[in-house]
Amino acid sequence: GIQVEQSPPDLILQEGANSTLRCNFSDSVNNLQWFHQNPWGQLINLFYIPSGTKQNGRLSATTVATERYSLLYISSSQTTDSGVYFCAVRGDTGFQKLVFGTGTRLLVSP
Amino acid sequence: ETGVTQSPTHLIKTRGQQVTLRCSSQSGHNTVSWYQQALGQGPQFIFQYYREEENGRGNFPPRFSGLQFPNYSSELNVNALELDDSALYLCASSFSSHNEQFFGPGTRLTVL
């Protein structure tokens, strides 16, 4: 099945810093989502982005489907950005489950 | 618009018991997917229901079973609980099996 790798596994930032999280996947996809999991376990949708670029406030994402990667940019980070960021993809042949990466754990300190 | 809801929030069971978890899908969504998330890992797909039929399943044994009702809400049943079943169970709904998924807050199951 499709493989998803996220990097870096852990990231520590000072408040106000910028960061880039990466998601690599092993096959063509028809769905790619970025999530933020808060300390209570809730997965919050950030982007639905199988291709192209989107922006939402301080966050933006780019997926280059032909090269099988996606990037999540966080600018001017805040302590509330702390948590685990997951990338999840679904392959585009037949029924495919949504496959999650192992996540990037982000800690933003004041 | 009501989001995805799950019940109960927390649950403690003993090995060998059976458990039922519940999920109400977001308004307008007809597809529900269930995931298991062990501590420190990403969610793992259990199965998906579309219009009351199971249309996809991950690598979970048959003691994990489910239902979807005419209002598109869903249940996850786990029989003969094992210690390794301790996890956060997440439910997600979507407009169809290929669209963006939206997750509920999860049920945290502890098996003693």
Side-chain angles (χ1 to χ4, degrees), chain B residues 49-71:
Chain B
Y49 279 83
Y50 172 66
R51 293 187 175 182
E52 303 179 59
E53 297 283 334
E54 182 182 299
N55 72 337
R57 189 177 183 93
N59 295 326
F60 281 81
R63 58 190 186 84
F64 286 77
S65 63
L67 282 175
Q68 187 179 32
F69 300 100
N71 66 354

Side-chain angles (χ1 to χ4, degrees), chain A residues 18 33 53 66:
Chain A
N18 303 328
Q33 295 185 238
T53 297
T66 53

Side-chain angles (χ1 to χ4, degrees), chain A residues 12-32:
Chain A
I12 300 175
L13 300 174
Q14 287 277 86
E15 204 168 20
N18 303 328
S19 61
T20 301
L21 282 59
R22 187 177 180 101
C23 171
N24 291 334
F25 43 95
S26 61
D27 209 342
S28 55
V29 300
N30 62 17
N31 179 348
L32 189 147

